[in-house]
Amino acid sequence: MPEYLTYVWRPVPGSRHAFPIAATKLAPEETATAYCGTEVEAAKLHDLDELAWILEPTCMDCWKHLANTPPRT
């Protein structure tokens, strides 16, 4: 992934959350924490089909957190 990415959106059961980019490098048995505080197994952040992206709504707490974070310069 490009070096400038700092977060990634992933649909997990219940909602589409934003995670720090480092979460994509966790071992499958580790736990990833979204910006809203939701915790999921890191294995659930990979190999997602398009239907999961369509069906899960965006987590507004993650969205608000990222909207209030100043951009990197």
Side-chain angles (χ1 to χ4, degrees):
M1 288 191 189
E3 295 174 10
Y4 58 86
L5 292 178
T6 58
Y7 63 90
V8 58
W9 288 94
R10 291 292 188 264
V12 295
S15 196
R16 184 173 37 247
H17 294 279
F19 295 88
I21 198 72
T24 62
K25 296 174 175 66
L26 294 173
E29 65 276 359
E30 292 184 274
T31 300
T33 304
Y35 285 102
C36 68
T38 297
E39 294 185 348
V40 298
E41 297 170 17
K44 293 185 179 182
L45 303 182
H46 305 286
D47 298 328
L48 304 163
D49 62 15
E50 290 181 35
L51 190 58
W53 284 93
I54 295 168
L55 293 177
E56 298 298 349
T58 298
C59 171
M60 293 315 299
D61 289 336
C62 285
W63 185 275
K64 289 174 187 171
H65 172 83
L66 293 172
N68 292 320
T69 301
R72 280 179 51 182
T73 56

